[in-house]
């Protein structure tokens, strides 16, 4: 299957918009992070960020189209992001996922380290949980945390095993979060909701420590 010009143009435009939005928030330190948007289910094909690009800028060579084996579907000198296999695993595991985004932030890295031993981060009763499509009263959210394996197939396998159908994201210890949604709008909303919740929890822990110190309690 060959992607059409219209499909390429639409996917790349959406990736441009998301990339610049996240870049303005400093969510791509260095050349970290990667983004993808699915173009077709059968065969699986998706647009993904090229490796080693400065994500604060736009260029004609920021993305390429790959298949389910992470191979480019057309001639190119570009290399897909080193973690493209993770995107493929997400699309193969979550059939209705249409976009998958990965960012590195101070908040998500610290949360993943603080709660690494529990292998998950849990929060409940926070309004922004609704941003993840969970609308129950006093809802409980548990985000899986996997180890940061240097071997990408091992990392992808760990993420595949950790994926929960009702939680659109997985944290990697000291390596950011992968979040997905049915389309780019939903995946962006999920990333934003996760980041708010992580920052909220860190502020809450900080306030607790400060209160404990002010009360003369050993911490």
């Amino acid at each position: 299957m060959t992607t059409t010009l219209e499909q390429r143009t639409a996917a790349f435009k959406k990736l441009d918009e998301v990339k610049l939005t996240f870049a303005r928030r400093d969510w791509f330190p260095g050349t970290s992070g990667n983004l993808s948007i699915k173009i077709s289910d059968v065969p699986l094909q998706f647009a993904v960020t090229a490796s080693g690009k400065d994500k604060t800028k736009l260029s004609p060579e920021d993305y390429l189209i790959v298949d389910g084996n992470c191979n480019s579907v057309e001639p190119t000198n570009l290399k897909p992001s080193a973690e493209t296999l993770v995107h493929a695993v997400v699309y193969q595991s979550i059939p209705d996922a249409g976009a998958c985004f990965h960012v590195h932030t101070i908040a998500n890295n610290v949360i993943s380290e603080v709660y690494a031993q529990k292998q998950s981060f849990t929060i409940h009763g926070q309004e922004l949980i609704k941003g993840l499509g969970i609308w129950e009263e006093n809802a409980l959210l548990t985000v899986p945390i996997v180890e940061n394996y240097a071997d990408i197939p091992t990392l992808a396998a760990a993420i595949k095993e950790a994926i929960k159908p009702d939680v659109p994201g997985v944290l990697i210890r000291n390596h950011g979060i992968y979040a997905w949604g049915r389309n780019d709008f939903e995946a962006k909303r999920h990333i934003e909701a996760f980041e708010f919740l992580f920052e909220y929890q860190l502020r809450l822990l900080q306030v607790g420590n400060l209160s404990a110190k002010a009360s003369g309690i050993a911490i």
Side-chain angles (χ1 to χ4, degrees), residues 17-80:
E17 293 172 352
V18 173
K19 183 175 72 169
L20 292 182
T21 297
F22 289 174
R24 285 192 290 268
R25 297 171 181 168
D26 295 323
W27 287 359
F28 293 130
T31 60
S32 66
N34 36 76
L35 311 169
S36 72
I37 288 179
K38 186 165 66 178
I39 291 177
S40 67
D41 289 296
V42 182
L44 174 60
Q45 293 187 356
F46 54 96
V48 66
T49 42
S51 179
K53 297 292 183 177
D54 181 349
K55 295 179 181 65
T56 66
K57 300 177 181 179
L58 300 181
S59 85
E61 296 189 326
D62 289 335
Y63 319 108
L64 64 159
I65 311 295
V66 299
D67 59 22
N69 294 316
C70 305
N71 296 317
S72 174
V73 301
E74 51 198 15
T76 179
N77 292 322
L78 299 176
K79 293 183 179 181

Side-chain angles (χ1 to χ4, degrees), residues 104-169:
H104 297 232
T105 69
I106 296 295
N108 67 39
N109 270 249
V110 174
I111 284 290
S112 72
E113 180 65 20
V114 170
Y115 295 93
Q117 296 304 313
K118 295 183 178 180
Q119 298 184 315
S120 64
F121 163 67
T122 297
I123 189 170
H124 67 88
Q126 226 299 325
E127 181 69 15
L128 257 291
I129 293 176
K130 293 178 181 177
L132 301 166
I134 302 171
W135 290 83
E136 292 85 355
E137 186 78 19
N138 200 35
L140 178 75
L141 170 71
T142 298
V143 187
I145 301 173
V146 302
E147 285 297 322
N148 182 21
Y149 298 104
D151 180 68
I152 299 304
T154 302
L155 176 63
I159 289 176
K160 181 177 182 179
E161 184 175 349
I163 286 174
K164 300 167 62 176
D166 57 339
V167 179

Side-chain angles (χ1 to χ4, degrees), residues 64-103:
L64 64 159
I65 311 295
V66 299
D67 59 22
N69 294 316
C70 305
N71 296 317
S72 174
V73 301
E74 51 198 15
T76 179
N77 292 322
L78 299 176
K79 293 183 179 181
S81 166
E83 295 163 25
T84 298
L85 181 59
V86 176
H87 293 260
V89 162
V90 168
Y91 292 131
Q92 291 160 358
S93 303
I94 309 292
D96 67 347
C100 180
F101 302 149
H102 172 50
V103 298

